[in-house]
Amino acid sequence: MSSEDRPPPEQGAVLLNGAPKRTPSLGQEAVEEGGLQARGQWASKVEFLLAVAGQIIGLGNVWRFPYLCYKNGGGVFFVPYLLFLVLCGVPLFLLETSLGQYTSLGGVSAWRSICPLFGGLGYASQVMILHGCVYYIVILAWALFYLAHSFQEVLPWAHCNNTWNTDTCVLFDSQNLTASGVGMPVNATSPVTEFWEREVLQLSSGVDELGPVSWRLALCLLVIWVVCYFCVWKGVKSTGKVVYLTATFPYLMLAVLLLRGVTLPGAAQGIIYYLKPNSTRLADPQVWMDAGTQIFFSYGICLGSLTALGSYNKYNNDCYKDCYKLCLLNSGTSFVAGFAIFSVLGFMAQEQGVDISIVAQSGPGLAFIAYPRAVAMMPLPQLWAVCFFLMIIMLGLDTQFVSLEALMTSVTDLYPAVIRRGHRRELLLLLVCVVCFLVGLVMVTPGGLYVFQIYDHFSCSGASLLLLSIFQSVAVGWFYGPDRFNDNIKDMIGYHPPAIFKVCWRYLTPAVCTATFVFSLVRWSPLSLGKGLAAPGWATGLGWLLTLSSVSLLPLWALYALITTPGTLRQRVSLLCQPTKDSPLALKHQLSGSPLTFLPVLSLNEKTKEPLADML
């Protein structure tokens, strides 16, 4: 078998159990020595690419990037966006995917293997994934609720004759306002807003009034969780097949909506608003902050997912080229989605006779208010509503279950002897899904939207991601060594990545992330819950606890490692800042009787390159 076709070393159990095992052939349901189930790997390179694409290309590409581009100077927004992409996005993306591929381990075990002092990076990222699994899936429950109502003869958010509508419900279109000869009533509300607030959410007046669980939203949430469970329950064998649908179907729907959008009257005006350059906006620091946070959110950096997905690759997979392909696909999707969204917003603005700034929104406001209102104005509105909400569900679904797969990978690699037996993995996954579903029920109550906003703002906030990015760069750039990491990548792909990556890992990426992190703290403001509501003090306190539940694991793990490691303080720090000598790569050579090395590209009977002691 050639080196290109050689499967990756099965390393997880060796690292944690110190026992050799048989490497299964591709596609086999092999059982390793000791009765452990095979860790598995991608059946093809396409599965890996689609899984990563499904993870990183999500709702933020459709409902966040186009709005940020419009708000922050149109075409000039690409200046800070591309700068952050080159200095932070691509280097960290390559770092995480190649780390997983090199170690064949999930996020936690991989960091503990190459630099034990920074093992907290893995734990923190898994806690952030767990938080994300709780609240992100609620968006899909809302979208499923809308999808179910999109098959009615008349869309319920297109008129004011529903039982939930109030006397102040008004159809906001230019014909009605012109015919009445008066302006828009001061306290008027639109039918789409009333459908969202009074029918879907049954929104309360504040986070203090949670109210009972909405059984209809709870049922939608349950359906989505069941789908997620069966997408992940067999590991990469099931995940790798599902992504063929979930990662490609949104592109079909996006293409359909784009073709429909650009043919609508007013579409050109919307696209002009989307891209019209305003160079003066570059002087606003908030524009640069928005560009940086968008990169971190949309590329799935520091969540451990990229490391877990990369760990199922063949050892000699060209992760460097994959990195560029996926980054180009991600940013390209965001750019094209802007045309699909703003062409429709331009049409809606023309139909209502208002400026596009009145109708342009971001986040849930775009998905559940602005776009449904625009759809209601089109011919065959049911068709376009079904296409749009199917796209939203598919975009979010693969992000959700791939994140869940990454979490299960990390936990399984930590305790392979316990979990990789019988049906224990499936039972553990079921337990995780049930617990997350039960916690998520609080977000399908009348006050659930406020809880959702607190989760979204604090649990996976930009500041948390930036902090993890800084420590990731420091761990590789200053402790493990950028030269060594670059050599590790060469061992896998056969050539060195450009030297600029070493400069980024050591200097540029931590510097840019630190500056952005400090700026985010300086410009921090209390969370606004909408309609003039500010989060109460106790809610903000709970939010900060969510943040600390992940980032606090960085110092806590480092302190624990220092306490439990023998030797003087200097010896402990020195030992914890170098690759573990019981790492799978080291143990392979110990078992074969060859000199200890951390460069595993050589087969066990080949002459090794450099002893670990000399390299350290």
Side-chain angles (χ1 to χ4, degrees):
M1 182 179 293
S2 66
S3 61
E4 288 76 9
D5 296 327
R6 187 171 67 245
E10 288 283 337
Q11 298 166 342
V14 179
L15 172 63
L16 297 158
N17 299 336
K21 57 188 179 181
R22 180 170 58 89
T23 300
S25 302
L26 293 179
Q28 291 182 346
E29 291 286 329
V31 178
E32 304 163 7
E33 294 181 11
L36 298 185
Q37 295 177 349
R39 188 176 188 272
Q41 67 180 90
W42 301 116
S44 68
K45 184 186 184 72
V46 175
E47 289 187 2
F48 166 69
L49 294 175
L50 289 177
V52 177
Q55 160 66 20
I56 64 177
I57 299 173
L59 299 176
N61 298 74
V62 173
W63 74 17
R64 193 169 188 266
F65 176 84
Y67 177 79
L68 289 179
C69 191
Y70 153 75
K71 186 186 80 168
N72 292 314
V76 300
F77 180 69
F78 288 99
V79 175
Y81 178 84
L82 291 175
L83 185 64
F84 273 96
L85 176 61
V86 171
L87 297 182
C88 299
V90 176
L92 289 174
F93 193 94
L94 177 62
L95 186 154
E96 294 191 28
T97 53
S98 58
L99 174 64
Q101 182 172 312
Y102 184 66
T103 60
S104 287
L105 295 169
V108 177
S109 300
W111 283 108
R112 289 177 58 177
S113 176
I114 71 164
C115 194
L117 187 64
F118 289 86
L121 283 168
Y123 290 104
S125 64
Q126 300 314 304
V127 171
M128 292 180 72
I129 286 182
L130 197 58
H131 288 321
C133 287
V134 169
Y135 84 89
Y136 188 85
I137 199 170
V138 176
I139 301 172
L140 308 185
W142 295 336
L144 184 60
F145 190 93
Y146 269 82
L147 179 64
H149 285 76
S150 298
F151 294 96
Q152 299 186 15
E153 185 177 354
V154 179
L155 294 178
W157 57 82
H159 59 88
C160 295
N161 300 323
N162 302 290
T163 56
W164 59 81
N165 291 129
T166 64
D167 295 334
T168 59
C169 180
V170 174
L171 290 173
F172 290 91
D173 58 75
S174 57
Q175 291 85 356
N176 283 354
L177 295 177
T178 302
S180 63
V182 296
M184 193 179 298
V186 175
N187 61 343
T189 56
S190 66
V192 68
T193 301
E194 291 199 349
F195 178 78
W196 169 240
E197 294 182 353
R198 298 176 61 84
E199 175 66 0
V200 180
L201 301 177
Q202 300 176 9
L203 194 61
S204 66
S205 58
V207 69
D208 301 301
E209 303 176 16
L210 286 180
V213 172
S214 168
W215 70 267
R216 293 179 300 175
L217 283 180
L219 182 60
C220 291
L221 186 63
L222 178 62
V223 169
I224 299 294
W225 267 117
V226 170
V227 172
C228 281
Y229 175 80
F230 285 106
C231 287
V232 182
W233 75 317
K234 290 298 182 183
V236 291
K237 289 180 293 185
S238 56
T239 303
K241 301 301 181 288
V242 175
V243 290
Y244 278 100
L245 172 66
T246 58
T248 57
F249 185 80
Y251 282 98
L252 175 62
M253 293 295 96
L254 184 61
V256 170
L257 294 172
L258 175 61
L259 291 175
R260 179 55 183 148
V262 297
T263 58
L264 291 169
Q269 191 63 27
I271 293 173
I272 290 173
Y273 267 87
Y274 169 46
L275 294 176
K276 184 179 180 180
N278 179 10
S279 57
T280 60
R281 295 289 292 141
L282 291 177
D284 185 356
Q286 187 61 43
V287 173
W288 296 81
M289 180 65 183
D290 285 344
T293 53
Q294 175 62 18
I295 290 295
F296 287 98
F297 278 115
S298 66
Y299 277 80
I301 295 170
C302 299
L303 294 178
S305 302
L306 299 175
T307 303
L309 296 177
S311 71
Y312 293 109
N313 273 334
K314 292 181 179 181
Y315 183 74
N316 296 99
N317 174 64
D318 196 335
C319 54
Y320 173 71
K321 290 182 179 178
D322 290 347
C323 172
Y324 274 103
K325 292 175 185 176
L326 291 164
C327 290
L328 180 62
L329 179 65
N330 189 8
S331 295
T333 301
S334 299
F335 179 67
V336 173
F339 289 92
I341 297 300
F342 270 85
S343 60
V344 172
L345 294 181
F347 160 74
M348 184 168 66
Q350 177 171 304
E351 288 293 301
Q352 294 181 344
V354 298
D355 189 84
I356 196 171
S357 60
I358 304 298
V359 299
Q361 298 187 54
S362 176
L366 171 67
F368 301 113
I369 296 179
Y371 209 94
R373 182 188 297 171
V375 163
M377 298 176 182
M378 300 179 189
L380 298 175
Q382 293 84 357
L383 173 63
W384 308 116
V386 169
C387 288
F388 178 73
F389 289 113
L390 275 177
M391 181 184 71
I392 292 296
I393 291 172
M394 289 295 184
L395 280 172
L397 185 62
D398 50 8
T399 299
Q400 177 75 17
F401 72 70
V402 171
S403 297
L404 199 58
E405 173 63 42
L407 177 64
M408 291 302 300
T409 296
S410 294
V411 176
T412 303
D413 283 345
L414 277 176
Y415 307 103
V418 176
I419 300 174
R420 284 161 55 181
R421 296 179 184 275
H423 297 286
R424 294 182 183 181
R425 184 187 186 279
E426 289 88 341
L427 292 175
L428 176 61
L429 175 63
L430 180 62
L431 177 63
V432 171
C433 291
V434 169
V435 171
C436 288
F437 167 73
L438 294 176
V439 175
L441 287 177
V442 74
M443 301 184 200
V444 293
T445 62
L449 179 64
Y450 307 121
V451 180
F452 172 87
Q453 290 175 303
I454 293 171
Y455 252 88
D456 184 46
H457 187 76
F458 288 101
S459 65
C460 299
S461 65
S464 301
L465 294 175
L466 286 167
L467 194 61
L468 294 187
S469 300
I470 294 169
F471 280 96
Q472 277 193 9
S473 304
V474 170
V476 170
W478 292 92
F479 289 88
Y480 185 74
D483 291 316
R484 178 190 292 167
F485 197 76
N486 219 31
D487 288 340
N488 297 156
I489 297 176
K490 178 181 181 296
D491 286 337
M492 291 188 292
I493 67 177
Y495 60 91
H496 282 113
I500 185 62
F501 282 98
K502 295 190 292 184
V503 178
C504 287
W505 292 326
R506 191 171 179 88
Y507 301 108
L508 299 181
T509 301
V512 172
C513 291
T514 301
T516 310
F517 174 73
V518 172
F519 177 76
S520 69
L521 295 181
V522 171
R523 294 292 295 266
W524 183 86
S525 58
L527 173 63
S528 174
L529 300 177
K531 295 190 173 182
L533 293 176
W538 65 267
T540 302
L542 287 178
W544 281 112
L545 283 179
L546 287 174
T547 301
L548 291 175
S549 67
S550 58
V551 298
S552 64
L553 295 178
L554 290 168
L556 288 178
W557 170 262
L559 184 61
Y560 168 79
L562 287 170
I563 292 175
T564 57
T565 301
T568 65
L569 180 60
R570 185 171 182 175
Q571 291 172 334
R572 297 177 189 182
V573 172
S574 176
L575 186 63
L576 291 172
C577 290
Q578 54 185 286
T580 56
K581 294 185 178 181
D582 63 342
S583 68
L585 308 178
L587 283 175
K588 278 178 57 180
H589 289 270
Q590 289 177 342
L591 293 169
S592 67
S594 60
L596 192 62
T597 180
F598 204 69
L599 302 175
V601 73
L602 300 176
S603 61
L604 297 183
N605 58 358
E606 290 178 332
K607 181 180 178 181
T608 55
K609 295 181 179 179
E610 183 177 349
L612 179 62
D614 295 341
M615 190 161 49
L616 298 175

